[in-house]
Each structure stands twice: as structure tokens, then as C-alpha cells.
Amino acid sequence: MTASLSAAKAVLGGLSGIRSWQEDCYRDLHRHPELSHREHRTAQRVTEVLAESGYRVHEGVGGTGVVGLLENGAGPTVLLRADMDALPVHEETGLDYASTVHDTDRDGHEVPVMHACGHDMHVTALLGAARLLADGREHWHGTAVALFQPAEETGDGAQTMIDDGLAQLLPRVDVCLGQHVLPIPAGTVGIHAGPFLASADSMRITVFGRGSHGSMPQSSVDPVVLAAMIVVRLQTVISREISPVESAVLTVGSITAGSKSNVIPDRAVLQLNIRTYNDRTRSAVIDAVRRIVNAECAASRSPKEPEFELFDRFPLTDNDIPTTDRVRDSFTAEFGDKCLDLPPGAASEDFSAIPTALGAPYTYWGVGGIDPAVYRHAAEAGRVDQDIAVNHSPHFAPVIQPTLDVATKALVVAAMPWLASA
């Protein structure tokens, strides 16, 4: 048995002793979700647990971020990260610990709030791993950093922590590690070297027309027709301008125009999302969108140039190959054939901004959250897409076990090749 695996097993020997506490913590966090940059209750709970476990705690980093440091002699520094925020989604899981929380979003609208992406699982797993590392510190040496990040869903939480001086709070970080619960069978972990999650760019486009009575379209420049032509033309960007061996996604998720059936409005607003796996393709797609929108506006005699706004931008998650291989070996030793090679996904994360800013290699993996029997039944029926709730769904509800045990183990097992190194 390698030193790191032996150390991991020794540290994880305390898992049964914290399992009940972790499960209660998870239910509590799920019942009390908080929107991005408003994770005050969650951050307070995190701070209390870290302090009780002997960590030196920095609160309010980037607003509501929390960073705990456990210094345990000379050795590498390993940063473990969890995100804390929830989504404006009405929960429909039927769980006895389901959220009934409502809040106002950043536009001032009242919205329901739900942990529809599993960040409550991430927080609970990292709290458990942090406690186990503290209780088992005789089995490792170095510095463990437990970082709890706000506002992953809006894509700016990592950057706010960086801008607030995160690097000055830490020693030199040797590796950064993170994970996400996914709609794959609970009990599994999945990892992939190289590009793993796509970069994402949301764009808000306002196109201008000339308003008129619906009975006199000849006096108008109709922005509804203009928007429709843009949507149709944008479908050719991926199919005709991007190589078939490249991966990219362009989705128009929202069109807003007008308020009455017999009034031609003077503008339309489109919101779209772009996901790519390298900077070259990212720039090509964004440039194509601008070119098409400008051309369609000219063709429609739009009286004013269109306006473009990029927002909710996420970096590429590109897992460092040597780091990923090292973690994969540890996962295989711990989880056996439950360690999967996951293909790249089109979802996005802002986690990589942290190791990039700290100059550290990183890897990021997935943890299964779906009842294995339910998943197997859906797979056998060829109905996984129809029957398995995915992240951001109002029905998304990871089974607490074995999801929580595996997520906690994964963090400890991934850290040990560094913390238990000779």
C-alpha cells in the first residue's frame, strides 16, 4: 500500500463518526439555500465548523467567501474548494427537507430559491473532509486550505475572492482540487485529463427598429422579424463555421420584444449562450455572432447600431494532465471500477480562475448523485435523458448516501498524494 493510500485510509477511519453530523448538516443547508453573493448563513455555518476543527479562518473574502487554513508542519499546500450558492428555482423534489425559501434576485424580482445544482453537497463534503484532516493530522504534513466560494452560478465568485486579496492570505499553493455532484450513479467518481468543462459566455444583444401600429407595418422597421432572422442565421455558426472536429454550443435562450399584439415595438433583446473548449473557437464564435447581427440589422434598415453586452463569463476548465493522473491513480486505488473516465461536458465552472491566479496546477472531477437502481432502470429502458433529473432541474435531488460519503472520501484521497508525500 502506498504512503498516500495508507494515510487516506487512516484519515478516513473517522468518517463513520461524523456521518450523522454530515447528513444533518446537508439537510440543513438544503433547506436554507442562498442566492449568489448572499451566502451569509452558509458562510457562518462554515466558519463555525472550521474554527471548531482548529483552522485559522478568514471570513468575508470576496464578500461571503470563507478560507480556512490548517498548518501541520512543513510540506505542500493543498487547496480544496467548494461553492456555496443556490439558484432561483422552485423546488419540486417532494423531500421532507425541501426548500421553501424565497428571495429577491439581482433585478429586484421575488424568486424561489433551491440548491438545484448540488452546492450544498459540495459544502458538506468539504466540511467533513476538513474535519477528518484535522482529526487525523498525525497522518499527513503540510497545509490544508479549505476554500468556500460564493457566486459560482453567476461566474464571478472566484474572481471576487481573487480581487479581494486571496493570494495574500495563503502560502504558495502546490495544487488546487475541486469536484461537482453530477447526474450519474451515486458511488462513482469520474475524472478526465485536459479540457473537461467548457468556457461559457453569455451575450445580451439589443437590436433597434422603428415602432408602428400593427396595421401599418410599412411605417415600421420590425425588430421582431429582425430578431427572428438573427436566430435563424445564428444556427449556421456552429454547423458551417466551426470544424466538425471542434466542439461548440450556441443557444439563444431568450427573446424579448413588444407588449401588445397590435403594436410593433422599437427594439428587441436577445440573450444567448456560447460554450467552447479553446480560445480560438471562443473568439471565432463571438466574432461570428457580432458579424451576423450587424449584417441582419443593415439588411433590415435598422435605424441604430446594435448593442452587445457580454456577461456571466466562465473560463475553460482544463485539467492539468500530471495532476489528474496522480489523482486518478488514488481514486482507482480507493474506488476501484467505480472510478470512471468522464468525457468532457458543456457545463461551465469558474473554479479554474483560482488556481490560474495562484499559479498552481489543478484538477476537477465529478461525483455521482443518482440512486444507482433508478439510474440503471432508466439506462436499461433507454430513458436516461427523460427520467434522470439533471443539475438546475427543480427535481434534482442527489441521494444523501452514498453520495456524501464518496464526495468526502474523494477530497481526502485526492489530497493525500501531496499531503502524505515523503
Side-chain angles (χ1 to χ4, degrees):
M1 184 181 296
T2 65
S4 63
L5 181 58
S6 177
K9 288 190 176 299
V11 171
L12 290 171
L15 181 58
S16 61
I18 68 167
R19 184 175 291 124
S20 177
W21 163 79
Q22 269 192 302
E23 292 175 0
D24 288 344
C25 179
Y26 171 75
R27 293 187 186 95
D28 177 68
L29 292 176
H30 189 87
R31 194 178 283 121
H32 298 96
E34 297 172 296
L35 293 174
S36 303
H37 294 297
R38 300 181 188 175
E39 307 92 343
H40 302 287
R41 183 183 185 276
T42 306
Q44 183 59 39
R45 183 76 186 269
V46 165
T47 297
E48 291 169 358
V49 174
L50 291 177
E52 290 168 0
S53 301
Y55 284 72
R56 179 159 54 90
V57 182
H58 298 280
E59 302 176 66
V61 184
T64 50
V66 181
V67 180
L69 289 89
L70 185 64
E71 293 149 329
N72 191 32
T77 296
V78 175
L79 186 150
L80 304 170
R81 175 268 201 178
D83 39 10
M84 302 188 292
D85 54 331
L87 287 160
V89 173
H90 175 71
E91 182 158 359
E92 298 178 17
T93 62
L95 295 167
D96 59 5
Y97 51 89
S99 167
T100 59
V101 172
H102 284 70
D103 199 355
T104 54
D105 65 14
R106 54 186 174 183
D107 295 320
H109 303 125
E110 183 176 337
V111 293
V113 187
M114 175 193 174
H115 267 300
C117 202
H119 296 185
D120 46 350
M121 185 66 70
H122 307 165
V123 171
T124 309
L126 182 49
L127 286 176
R131 179 164 288 185
L132 291 174
L133 288 169
D135 292 344
R137 69 187 76 190
E138 68 270 23
H139 302 292
W140 60 274
H141 54 272
T143 299
V145 178
L147 184 148
F148 295 82
Q149 180 204 306
E152 184 278 333
E153 296 293 356
T154 54
D156 61 346
Q159 192 62 48
T160 61
M161 295 188 78
I162 294 164
D163 293 343
D164 199 23
L166 173 64
Q168 286 67 55
L169 303 177
L170 306 175
R172 185 181 67 83
V173 174
D174 292 279
V175 68
C176 295
L177 306 170
Q179 63 183 0
H180 206 296
V181 63
L182 298 176
I184 58 177
T188 62
V189 296
I191 195 165
H192 182 88
F196 182 46
L197 298 176
S199 63
D201 300 273
S202 289
M203 183 182 288
R204 184 177 293 108
I205 304 169
T206 303
V207 295
F208 298 93
R210 184 166 60 245
S212 176
H213 195 288
S215 67
M216 294 179 280
Q218 74 278 5
S219 297
S220 76
V221 172
D222 192 336
V224 176
V225 175
L226 169 56
M229 298 304 293
I230 289 171
V231 171
V232 171
R233 183 73 179 183
L234 288 177
Q235 305 312 303
T236 67
V237 173
I238 305 303
S239 65
R240 291 296 178 269
E241 299 194 35
I242 303 301
S243 167
V245 300
E246 296 279 355
S247 292
V249 177
L250 194 165
T251 298
V252 180
S254 172
I255 304 176
T256 305
S259 59
K260 200 171 185 297
S261 62
N262 66 343
V263 176
I264 296 174
D266 66 353
R267 69 190 62 200
V269 179
L270 302 90
Q271 296 190 84
L272 55 87
N273 185 254
I274 299 163
R275 295 175 186 266
T276 53
Y277 290 94
N278 60 64
D279 288 339
R280 182 187 67 258
T281 304
R282 186 181 202 174
S283 296
V285 174
I286 292 174
D287 289 347
V289 169
R290 291 179 182 274
R291 185 191 74 243
I292 287 169
V293 171
N294 282 316
E296 290 293 347
C297 286
S300 294
R301 297 178 296 113
S302 181
K304 185 178 177 182
E305 294 294 316
E307 295 177 354
F308 300 90
E309 177 193 355
L310 283 166
F311 64 100
D312 286 357
R313 309 191 75 184
F314 292 79
L316 178 70
T317 301
D318 189 0
N319 285 337
D320 177 67
I321 292 174
T323 300
T324 304
D325 289 344
R326 201 170 177 183
V327 171
R328 188 202 312 275
D329 289 344
S330 293
F331 281 175
T332 301
E334 175 64 29
F335 301 113
D337 62 3
K338 299 296 184 181
C339 176
L340 313 176
D341 184 20
L342 284 184
S348 300
E349 253 283 353
D350 69 344
F351 160 72
S352 65
I354 292 172
T356 298
L358 298 177
Y362 67 88
T363 195
Y364 187 85
W365 62 87
V367 175
I370 305 301
D371 183 301
V374 171
Y375 192 93
R376 183 172 60 253
H377 179 75
E380 290 172 351
R383 291 187 54 84
V384 169
D385 289 340
Q386 294 80 11
D387 295 347
I388 301 300
V390 300
N391 306 71
H392 292 213
S393 163
H395 301 283
F396 185 69
V399 291
I400 295 180
Q401 295 295 3
T403 309
L404 186 52
D405 273 7
V406 171
T408 305
K409 288 180 179 180
L411 289 168
V412 172
V413 169
M416 281 303 147
W418 287 267
L419 293 178
S421 60

